[in-house]
Amino acid sequence: AMAGGGGMRLQSPPCKVLSEQLRAAATRAGLPAAWLLHRAGDGDGDRAPLDVSVVWMQGTVLDVRPEHNTSLQLLDETGTFTVVGAGGVPHGRPCTNRGNYVMVMGVVQSCRPEPVVRAVKVTDLSGNPLHKSMWKLEVEDLQQNMP
């Protein structure tokens, strides 16, 4: 398990997701809180939904705000989402420049009106443009192959 801000640990391996999946997610009853996601690339929706609480997301930093220990607004190929607590994770601050392409691992706090993720890890991927161009396909491929 990875230690995060305030000694928080990831309960499960993070699932790679797109922001549009979280926006459309249904809440699963019970604890810990989790969301049920329609699988990316699954046109008819005939596969079992993914039960997700810890996510791996990637996007371009659109905005940086001081509240909630540094909040980032990120944009992936499917829309925007907010990351809170980016200033509290190791090496989180240098990643938070507008225009950077970053990877975030964290815990989903809410999905509407826009997904909010509490950061456990933030990594700058700007040095390798391949990360950005491959991301949506990577997520779809991974989710199609998950049991």
Side-chain angles (χ1 to χ4, degrees), residues 1-11 69 85-91 105-107 118-122:
M2 279 184 294
M8 195 169 84
R9 295 185 186 281
L10 294 178
Q11 297 304 313
N69 197 0
V89 301
H91 318 300
M105 287 184 193
V107 180
R118 176 162 300 282
V120 175
K121 183 179 180 186
V122 181

Side-chain angles (χ1 to χ4, degrees), residues 20 29 54 77 80 82-83 87 102-103 121 139 146:
E20 69 179 2
V54 180
E77 286 178 67
T80 56
T82 297
V83 175
V102 299
M103 175 270 270
K121 183 179 180 186
V139 173
M146 282 172 77

Side-chain angles (χ1 to χ4, degrees), residues 14-29:
C15 180
K16 295 179 178 182
V17 303
L18 301 167
S19 64
E20 69 179 2
Q21 293 182 276
L22 290 180
R23 265 191 296 280
T27 311
R28 172 171 66 67

Side-chain angles (χ1 to χ4, degrees), residues 1 11 13-14 23 41 44 46 50 59 62 67 70 73 78 87 92 97 99 109 134 141:
Q11 297 304 313
R23 265 191 296 280
D44 298 330
D46 50 2
L50 298 173
L62 295 183
E67 62 263 23
T70 312
Q73 187 182 42
T78 64
N97 296 325
Q109 304 288 292
M134 294 299 292
D141 186 59

